[in-house]
Amino acid sequence: MNCAAILILTTSCFSWTSAIYLPNRQATKKLKYLLEPPVYAEVTSPRGGNATLPCVLRFKPSHYNVKWTKLEPLRRGSENIVMITNGSAHKPYGLLGPRASLRKAHAMDASLRLSNLELEDVGRYRCELINGIEDESVIITLEIEGMVFPYQSKNGRYKFTYQEAKEACVEQDGTLATFKQLYRAWTEGLDWCNAGWLVDGTVHYPILHPRAECGGELLPGIRSYGPRDRIRDHFDAFCFTSRTTGFVFFVGGPLTFGEAVQVCRGEGGELALVGQLYSAWRFLSYDRCNGGWLKDGSVRFPITTPRERCGDIPEAGVRTFGYPNKTLRLYGAYCYR
């Protein structure tokens, strides 16, 4: 890795306490109408589940609206309004609108309910009371239970533009990860020496075991390239995925890639995506010491209990053989149904 491209940071930038971005914060003022702090400042739910983002009025002005907006990640060129209510009627907006409703547990309740959660729903949401005189708001963070996995192009290391990385994650049942998701993955054991795009257009890589070839002998932490050019620069990707509704299963070989496709179809499924295999490994403790084809043409196998002749790596994880020639008849298949 070309360390000259890394932002010039002090050693302390890679410490446990300084690895999180802190957003700019305005001076706090005591709210008059909205309950603060909210009941929960952060809500975590599984993909496919439901979530309630709390927003409660202490008392009502004579005339007001409450507007729910998704603050980040933002879609360029538009304000992500989700819902507007005046206390008696409400109107949903945008892509989230069809899955949004108001809880209305009592007369002072303006809490937002989101159903059938998707990976892209993660982010910060603002509940804003607007009365034309003293507008005020509270911020709630929605997190989706999940995990981060690194992903590389079949053409080799550092081949993705930002958009290509974003599309690659979606194709593997994921989304580009946020910095917070990558940071949490690092605290849970992710150590990866290749830099990858995140959803905000920045590039990072997590190091638990410092070594010369991975940014030098700095303290463990998140190494950062900072914001990069989304069109000209090329890196790998850090994808985020979650629990799935189906399940992954193995069919023994040896099979070519084409034969693996047909075998999975014969079992009523299809070749698994990389994110689906990671999800099975993480959330279902899926463990199999056999290389198997996946839909992207890679060959991988999940190890929950490390042991000899199963990757010879002391940590649990999803091992990879890369992208072999698809005509090779050496592997089985990981199917998803």
Side-chain angles (χ1 to χ4, degrees):
M1 180 174 293
N2 184 1
C3 295
I6 300 178
L7 293 178
I8 304 301
L9 302 171
T10 62
T11 302
S12 63
C13 286
F14 302 120
S15 68
W16 277 71
T17 57
S18 62
I20 297 179
Y21 288 147
L22 295 178
N24 294 327
R25 299 182 183 274
Q26 298 177 347
T28 58
K29 70 172 184 176
K30 188 172 182 180
L31 300 186
K32 181 178 180 180
Y33 299 109
L34 296 177
L35 182 66
E36 188 185 40
V39 180
Y40 306 105
E42 181 171 304
V43 175
T44 302
S45 295
R47 175 167 59 175
N50 303 322
T52 298
L53 309 184
C55 184
V56 177
L57 279 65
R58 300 174 60 177
F59 67 93
K60 298 180 180 180
S62 56
H63 301 284
Y64 73 96
N65 286 324
V66 170
K67 179 172 71 172
W68 276 98
T69 306
K70 186 178 183 186
L71 298 179
E72 60 180 27
L74 285 172
R75 294 183 181 88
R76 291 188 174 186
S78 64
E79 184 180 19
N80 292 336
I81 299 174
V82 180
M83 180 80 69
I84 296 179
T85 178
N86 61 9
S88 57
H90 65 274
K91 183 177 180 180
Y93 291 85
L95 296 177
L96 278 170
R99 295 187 286 114
S101 61
L102 295 175
R103 181 173 63 179
K104 294 184 177 180
H106 49 80
M108 310 297 280
D109 188 14
S111 301
L112 182 71
R113 303 183 80 169
L114 297 175
S115 62
N116 193 22
L117 292 174
E118 300 175 359
L119 296 178
E120 295 83 356
D121 296 341
V122 66
R124 296 169 68 235
Y125 291 75
R126 179 176 62 209
C127 175
E128 183 179 13
L129 185 141
I130 304 169
N131 69 353
I133 301 174
E134 297 177 285
D135 298 348
E136 55 187 44
S137 62
V138 293
I139 306 297
I140 312 295
T141 299
L142 173 62
E143 293 290 344
I144 304 296
E145 294 176 356
M147 63 160 298
V148 172
F149 63 93
Y151 191 70
Q152 189 174 93
S153 167
K154 62 182 179 181
N155 297 318
R157 183 172 180 253
Y158 294 173
K159 299 297 183 181
F160 291 138
T161 64
Y162 173 81
Q163 185 61 32
E164 289 168 345
K166 191 173 182 179
E167 292 171 357
C169 288
V170 171
E171 289 171 359
Q172 299 309 317
D173 191 43
T175 60
L176 274 178
T178 66
F179 183 85
K180 186 174 182 179
Q181 290 165 346
L182 181 65
Y183 178 78
R184 179 169 182 172
W186 170 69
T187 68
E188 295 174 346
L190 182 59
D191 179 280
W192 198 254
C193 199
N194 292 342
W197 291 103
L198 298 184
V199 70
D200 62 358
T202 59
V203 174
H204 309 267
Y205 62 104
I207 295 297
L208 277 174
H209 309 291
R211 47 215 187 266
E213 65 273 22
C214 297
E217 300 295 330
L218 300 172
L219 293 176
I222 307 294
R223 311 289 195 251
S224 177
Y225 279 33
R228 308 302 296 182
D229 189 294
R230 299 186 183 204
I231 298 175
R232 292 196 299 265
D233 289 332
H234 294 75
F235 295 95
D236 292 343
F238 285 107
C239 305
F240 178 81
T241 193
S242 185
R243 295 177 182 268
T244 65
T245 55
F247 63 95
V248 173
F249 59 96
F250 180 77
V251 176
L255 303 167
T256 66
F257 176 81
E259 291 168 344
V261 171
Q262 295 304 318
V263 164
C264 288
R265 289 177 181 171
E267 295 288 337
E270 59 183 353
L271 277 176
L273 304 175
V274 175
Q276 292 167 343
L277 184 63
Y278 268 98
S279 178
W281 166 74
R282 173 64 179 272
F283 299 110
L284 301 177
S285 299
Y286 191 42
D287 183 289
R288 187 89 196 193
C289 193
N290 302 92
W293 292 103
L294 297 182
K295 193 171 184 177
D296 67 340
S298 65
V299 173
R300 306 173 194 252
F301 61 101
I303 296 297
T304 302
T305 305
R307 51 203 183 273
E308 292 184 5
R309 295 184 296 278
C310 287
D312 294 324
I313 299 175
E315 293 84 15
V318 176
R319 316 286 194 244
T320 180
F321 288 108
Y323 296 87
N325 187 313
K326 291 183 177 182
T327 63
L328 290 177
R329 188 175 280 111
L330 295 175
Y331 310 105
Y334 285 103
C335 307
Y336 178 80
R337 184 173 61 210

